[in-house]
Structures are given as structure tokens and as C-alpha cells.
Amino acid sequence: LEPQSKTLPTTKEKHIHVELGDRSYKIIVSGSEVTNATQAIVRMADQILDVLSDLTHAVILGDEAVASSVSEPLERELSGRKIRVSAAQIPSGETSKSVAELARLWEWMLSAGVDRRSVVIAIGGGVTGDLAGFAAATYARGLRVVQIPTTLLSMVDSSVGGKTGINLPGAKNMVGAFWQPSLVIADSITLNTLPDREYVSGLAEVIKYGVIEDPDFFHWLEVNIQSLICRDSGALREAISRSCESKARVVGDDERETSGRRAILNYGHTFAHAIEATAGYGQLLHGEAVAIGMQMAASLAIALGRADQNLLDRQTRLLVQSNLPIKFPEANVPGMLEIMRRDKKVEYGKLRFVLPTKIGHVELVGNIDESHVVAAIQAHV
Ligand code: NAD
Ligand code: GLY
């Protein structure tokens, strides 16, 4: 008989395969089948060792907000299994995605004796995942990395797909690398300490997947949104895994964003980036800006005759039920246009947007006149 893996999926644990040839990996979505945090940490260590059976040196890079709940218990658990562990904390917040913080990590990794067999374990939200992922991509020309996302946004978006990087002053995510993880563990038990506003903000990205490429999931969300708001563990597992399946399909088709397919993940984001930049970074959480941006994008699609009002009505209902904002009364329209003209999707000076045609389908649309964009913003102030 073959020895049984300790991490065979139970009926309540989902394994999602990200198909990228020799860079393929799995996402494990779990949460409710253990009753306490200690069991969850033991399970995480099992899951890591099941995939990385040659692990001898774990390099834990964790957001300070989850140090006592996740990083330190995992450090103790792995140490107890005779694995050498080096651990460093990353200060919470977007400012950690900086050249200075990256350089600090590189120097620390050198002093900690990190080598090419070491495995980075990134624990935290998108900030930690992006920074630690990029440190892993660059140190010693590339180390394996396990992503353990601890915000809803990072579980459904940033931990999957291999985009890593840091910001330059005035240019977000400007320096980075595609560096796929070896494993992603999204355990909803880690969300127990996440503030409500951060949690709700992550729901915007969840809803996005329904609009861009999964109409059945959108319908599921319409039926189950109240359970999701209450963080019901079964509903959460379903929402996280279906979001990850959606992202895995898109990334599997267009890993490096060359065909245009991956750009659909940016539905609502051209407006959102302009909202975030003109409101002053930090005023609105990213998911909040994405919610408003999806409303503006849907209105733009309707004005161009590409979608009908019913799409906007269904999207509005779901966003409102989720307690997400849908209006941006402080909109500085000229300022937003200025930012949008610098968007990566601009082609030959004309704005391009990801626009829906129906729930479950979007297209990248170019050659859009600015007057339509202005009207779409003004429809949601
Ligand atoms: P974040 O990492 O800043 O986390 C949000 C806040 O929650 C922080 O204050 C953090 O300290 C705290 N936190 C994290 N986990 C917690 C927990 N379990 N309990 C309590 N507090 C916790 O932000 P985010 O929303 O997770 O990610 C945003 C970042 O992700 C941005 O930098 C964005 O550029 C990036 N991003 C990357 C991708 C990608 O594909 N790589 C995709 C989307 C977003
Ligand atoms: N968050 C967009 C992407 O991963 O491509």
C-alpha cells in the first residue's frame, strides 16, 4: 500500500490546480474542518511539507499584524519538526513595498544564511506577498516561495498568479517580476483577526470574478451574499475557491499578460486607480475603489451600447448588499482623466477599458472617447 498523504483533501478542503507547465502549483483552500488555530497551524505545516518534502530551511517573512496568530506558531511548529527556521517581520502597510524594505530583507537574508535550497514562506496580505515574493524571486537568483495569504483580497487575488514587486515613489508596482509560488495556502481561519472594512473590501474582487468570467458564480453570490458577509466558513470556502479557480483559468491562459486575456482581471481598475490616486492613497481601500470603478465601467459599457441596464442593476445590488461604496462624490474629473491617460492600457493616446457585455463576459475595448468616460464618472458621484 502507498503511504497516505496527511494532506489528502477532506470533503471540506479544496485543492485548485494552477496549470502553468513546469511552474504549475496548487492552491489549498481550507478553514472550517478544524476547530482551533493550533490545529490549523499543524495542518499548514503538514501541507507545506507534503509539497516541499525536501524542506530543511524555512524563511518566514510575515506581516507584523499576523505575527502572534500565524507566523510565530508556524515557526514553532516547523522548528519542532527539526526544520531550521529564520523569521523576519514586515511592518504593516503599503509603504513596506519599497526599495528600502526590500534591501533590508536582502541584507537580512544574507546574514541569516539563506541559500538556494531555502524556501520563503510569505505570510500576510498583498503587501507582504508582493514584497516577500519579489525578495524570493531576486535573492540568489530565485528561491521557492509558499504564499500564505491572510486577507480576503490576497486569498482571492494577489497570492495567485505570480505577480510580485514593489513601488517606486509615485509609481505603484513599477519594479517586479513574475515569480510563481510553489504552493498557496488560503486558510480562512487566518481571517478571524481581519478588520471588517478590510474583509468587505476584499469582497469587491470576489464579485469582480462573477462579472468578468463566471456568471454561475455571480448568481451564487446573489443567493449567498448574507452568509458571506457573516463570514460563514462554508460560504467563504466556496467564494475563495471559485475566485481562485477563475483567476487560475485566466492566468493559465495568459501568464505574462501578453495576449490581453489577463487584462480582464483589471475590470473596474482603470477607474479605481484614478480614484485612489486623486483621493490620496489610503483614503479608500483598494477594493472600495474597485467597487466604484466597476460601477463606472458598467455605465461606460451601457453608454457605448455594449451592455444593458440589468447588468448594472444586478451589480449595484450585490455591491450595496456587501456594504461596499458605489459612489465617489469627491470625484476630481480632470485629475482622474490625467491619471487614466497614463494607464498601462492606453494605446495610441486613446483610452482602453475592460467593459462587460453581460454578467460573465468582458472585453478590452479601445478607442474610447473621453466624453463617454467623463459621463461614466459623473453617473456615480
Ligand atoms: P495589506 O497587505 O496591506 O493588508 C491590509 C491590512 O491588513 C494591513 O494593515 C495588514 O497589516 C493587515 N492584515 C493582514 N492580514 C491580517 C489579518 N489576518 N488580521 C489582521 N490584520 C491583517 O493589503 P491587501 O489588501 O491584502 O493587499 C494590497 C496589496 O496587494 C497592494 O499592494 C496591491 O498592489 C497588491 N496586489 C497585488 C496583486 C498581485 O497580483 N500581485 C493583486 C492585487 C493586489
Ligand atoms: N491582479 C491582476 C493580475 O494578477 O493580473
Side-chain angles (χ1 to χ4, degrees), residues 99-310:
V99 176
E101 188 58 24
L102 179 67
R104 185 184 76 84
L105 287 182
W106 281 335
E107 294 292 347
W108 171 82
M109 287 161 94
L110 185 67
S111 66
V114 173
D115 66 29
R116 297 184 87 165
R117 303 302 307 160
S118 307
V119 175
V120 170
I121 302 180
I123 307 176
V127 164
T128 301
D130 282 10
L131 172 69
F134 190 46
T138 45
Y139 192 85
R141 298 200 179 83
L143 308 177
R144 290 172 294 174
V145 59
V146 175
Q147 291 279 358
I148 303 185
T150 64
T151 63
L152 182 57
L153 179 136
S154 57
M155 289 183 182
V156 301
D157 190 356
S158 59
S159 65
V160 177
K163 280 189 182 176
T164 68
I166 57 167
N167 304 324
L168 294 180
K172 205 166 142 50
N173 295 326
M174 191 44 81
V175 178
F178 286 98
W179 190 250
Q180 299 295 343
S182 302
L183 172 68
V184 180
I185 301 173
D187 194 326
S188 64
I189 205 162
T190 66
L191 299 179
N192 286 352
T193 54
L194 190 71
D196 266 339
R197 190 173 166 199
E198 291 287 350
Y199 176 78
V200 166
S201 172
L203 284 177
E205 299 283 1
V206 171
I207 293 168
K208 175 193 78 178
Y209 290 112
V211 182
I212 64 172
E213 70 96 61
D214 191 345
D216 293 342
F217 180 45
F218 191 93
H219 179 64
W220 181 91
L221 286 168
E222 290 178 313
V223 174
N224 292 283
I225 193 65
Q226 289 310 332
S227 309
L228 210 46
I229 288 162
C230 302
R231 307 194 190 197
D232 171 83
S233 53
L236 247 178
R237 192 177 47 248
E238 183 70 10
I240 294 167
S241 46
R242 291 188 73 166
S243 300
C244 288
E245 280 162 5
S246 196
K247 182 148 187 185
R249 281 192 290 274
V250 175
V251 169
D253 284 347
D254 183 20
E255 182 185 5
R256 289 177 170 251
E257 209 163 325
T258 44
S259 74
R261 179 75 182 146
R262 187 162 177 163
I264 73 168
L265 297 171
N266 287 329
Y267 173 52
H269 284 57
T270 305
F271 287 108
H273 292 150
I275 291 169
E276 286 177 291
T278 54
Y281 279 108
Q283 290 299 309
L284 281 167
L285 297 181
H286 178 65
E288 295 170 342
V290 167
I292 302 166
M294 293 197 302
Q295 292 292 88
M296 292 174 176
S299 285
L300 181 55
I302 293 167
L304 296 173
R306 305 182 67 88
D308 62 25
Q309 182 66 30
N310 180 46

Side-chain angles (χ1 to χ4, degrees), residues 19-63:
E19 178 50 59
L20 290 168
D22 60 2
R23 293 177 307 291
S24 298
Y25 53 95
K26 74 176 164 184
I27 306 162
I28 303 175
V29 182
S30 47
S32 66
E33 63 275 32
V34 294
T35 50
N36 64 50
T38 310
Q39 288 175 317
I41 296 296
V42 170
R43 178 177 57 191
M44 265 181 207
D46 285 348
Q47 290 163 338
I48 292 168
L49 288 166
D50 188 46
V51 171
L52 296 153
S53 51
D54 63 337
L55 178 67
T56 54
H57 183 204
V59 181
I60 295 181
L61 302 179
D63 186 315

Side-chain angles (χ1 to χ4, degrees), residues 239-380:
I240 294 167
S241 46
R242 291 188 73 166
S243 300
C244 288
E245 280 162 5
S246 196
K247 182 148 187 185
R249 281 192 290 274
V250 175
V251 169
D253 284 347
D254 183 20
E255 182 185 5
R256 289 177 170 251
E257 209 163 325
T258 44
S259 74
R261 179 75 182 146
R262 187 162 177 163
I264 73 168
L265 297 171
N266 287 329
Y267 173 52
H269 284 57
T270 305
F271 287 108
H273 292 150
I275 291 169
E276 286 177 291
T278 54
Y281 279 108
Q283 290 299 309
L284 281 167
L285 297 181
H286 178 65
E288 295 170 342
V290 167
I292 302 166
M294 293 197 302
Q295 292 292 88
M296 292 174 176
S299 285
L300 181 55
I302 293 167
L304 296 173
R306 305 182 67 88
D308 62 25
Q309 182 66 30
N310 180 46
L311 177 143
L312 178 60
D313 292 344
R314 287 178 71 190
Q315 181 179 277
T316 305
R317 208 173 306 125
L318 203 44
L319 294 173
V320 169
Q321 286 175 325
S322 306
N323 302 320
L324 280 158
I326 54 165
K327 289 200 178 298
F328 184 43
E330 305 82 21
N332 161 4
V333 179
M336 284 179 67
L337 284 174
E338 190 59 41
I339 303 283
M340 287 191 264
R341 288 189 201 109
R342 284 188 253 137
D343 186 83
K344 287 187 214 122
K345 287 187 291 303
V346 167
E347 208 176 52
Y348 307 117
K350 282 281 189 181
L351 299 174
R352 293 200 300 167
F353 289 85
V354 177
L355 298 181
T357 54
K358 58 183 179 183
I359 294 290
H361 184 77
V362 289
E363 291 168 358
L364 189 58
V365 184
N367 206 18
I368 294 179
D369 201 87
E370 280 190 7
S371 62
H372 289 301
V373 178
V374 171
I377 296 171
Q378 284 170 341
H380 299 283

